Amino acid sequence: MTKSTTAQRPLGSGHDARSTADDVLRGVDLTGRTAVITGGYSGLGLEATRALARAGAHVIVPARRPRQAAAALSDTPGTEVVALDLADLDSVRAFADGVLASGRTVDVLITNAGIMACPETRVGPGWEAHFAVNHLGHFALVNRLVPALTPGRARVVPVASSGHFLSDIRWDDPHFRDSPYDPWLAYAQSKTANALFARHLDTVAGDRGPRAFAVHPGSILTPLQRHVPREEQIAQGWMDRDGRPADGFKSPAQGAATAVWAATSPLLEGHGGAYCQDCDIAGPATSDDMLIGGVKPWAVDPAAAARLWELSADLTGLDAFA
């Protein structure tokens, strides 16, 4: 097993925060490749789906709302919608079993779907919903799809966030059973989990792959903020009173760029497990300004990543690399 030793140091990719998903994929031919993008029918996930399909990939879009997904993708050839509810591990198993039964291989798996700052919600055996949907559902999905991931070539790209700045993993109480529920800390913990998942997945997968990269897409106004009242978004400085995004916010097409870059760029060979932003490897965070970004040490700590993997495997009963 080859352990990830990636340093959080930009490579100089030639792209930046202004690049779009189409910019990143210009000249890239993905004909014959298969991608899976959870939440690939809304916000930046929709832009990633469209860009990968335009580059020639066949894109499978798992969706909790299949009719809505089919409508959103009706004008995007090369896409396929399949039902999946990340809050339900039986649904995750059914989706993965369908992919495996088809005999297809998966070259790109972007775990993009998620929830943000929602009211306290319990799923499964009482799991907190952010941790369950944003992390554990994707952990289960990736582990079940390992047999389909193209050996030596597949990439897994968890979509994290600078929201991880607000919380490490709450090791003593990840499900807020013994402390008051805080929607922002719940979201933040799940985003730290996304980054740590990529770090350890890349480690345990070894030389056969898949390679894994966590990405911060940037600050973008999308349906992800559906649970955040408009007045709160204005107070946070995300938008003005006319609904225009604040300076420094990206369009959804720009927000999708780092995920598709991490899924396809040859520059990332040898850099598995890295946390990326603005179409490059992110440097360490030098402040608490989430708009500037970077990565906090707790989101790339190898020991924490291994500990989270063990916890997640225990909770889901899954570990494809055990």
Side-chain angles (χ1 to χ4, degrees):
M1 179 172 69
T2 300
K3 291 187 178 295
S4 172
T5 56
T6 292
Q8 287 298 143
R9 186 179 305 116
L11 301 170
S13 70
H15 298 288
D16 58 26
R18 296 165 296 181
S19 300
T20 67
D22 284 334
D23 292 335
V24 167
L25 293 176
R26 188 166 291 116
V28 175
D29 184 2
L30 298 178
T31 302
R33 306 289 180 95
T34 298
V36 175
I37 307 179
T38 65
Y41 60 99
S42 177
L44 65 92
L46 176 58
E47 295 296 333
T49 296
R50 288 171 169 166
L52 289 169
R54 282 192 288 264
H58 179 77
V59 186
I60 302 172
V61 179
R64 187 167 64 89
R65 297 180 291 271
R67 289 185 180 178
Q68 181 177 331
L73 295 167
S74 62
D75 61 350
T76 306
T79 59
E80 171 187 354
V81 175
V82 182
L84 170 64
D85 183 351
L86 288 163
D88 180 351
L89 294 191
D90 288 337
S91 177
V92 173
R93 182 182 65 245
F95 172 84
D97 286 351
V99 174
L100 297 177
S102 74
R104 291 183 287 192
T105 56
V106 175
D107 303 287
V108 170
L109 174 51
I110 300 177
T111 61
N112 161 79
I115 55 176
M116 172 194 276
C118 66
E120 183 172 4
T121 306
R122 302 285 163 178
V123 302
W127 295 339
E128 189 282 314
H130 291 87
F131 195 66
V133 172
N134 296 356
H135 170 60
L136 291 174
H138 282 132
F139 178 90
L141 177 65
V142 172
N143 274 274
R144 287 198 178 278
L145 285 179
V146 162
L149 298 176
T150 310
R153 188 173 74 184
R155 291 191 179 183
V156 176
V157 182
V159 176
S161 165
S162 61
H164 81 268
F165 279 32
L166 299 177
S167 181
D168 194 352
I169 302 300
R170 298 164 46 86
W171 299 108
D172 295 331
D173 189 21
H175 296 292
F176 291 84
R177 292 190 175 109
D178 301 319
S179 54
Y181 175 72
D182 184 313
W184 287 112
L185 292 183
Y187 174 71
Q189 173 183 237
S190 74
K191 295 293 103 177
T192 293
N194 294 152
L196 291 175
F197 174 48
R199 178 70 65 157
H200 199 66
L201 173 60
D202 196 87
T203 297
V204 296
D207 292 333
R208 280 177 52 82
R211 296 277 70 85
F213 307 93
V215 302
H216 166 42
S219 298
I220 312 125
L221 294 182
T222 72
L224 179 65
Q225 290 90 16
R226 64 175 63 88
H227 294 293
V228 184
R230 182 184 179 90
E231 286 301 316
E232 184 175 345
Q233 295 189 50
I234 293 170
Q236 293 273 9
W238 298 354
M239 65 169 67
D240 64 21
R241 293 207 166 269
D242 293 326
R244 289 187 293 264
D247 291 342
F249 272 54
K250 296 182 179 182
S251 69
Q254 291 169 329
T258 302
V260 299
W261 178 80
T264 60
S265 176
L267 291 177
L268 282 170
E269 295 296 334
H271 296 282
Y275 177 98
C276 304
Q277 74 175 52
D278 296 340
C279 304
D280 209 335
I281 294 177
T286 57
S287 75
D288 290 330
D289 188 334
M290 287 187 281
L291 195 58
I292 294 173
V295 61
K296 293 291 189 179
W298 55 80
V300 289
D301 178 69
R307 184 180 180 185
L308 178 65
W309 186 280
E310 183 177 356
L311 172 63
S312 305
D314 181 61
L315 290 171
T316 63
L318 295 167
D319 186 348
F321 301 97

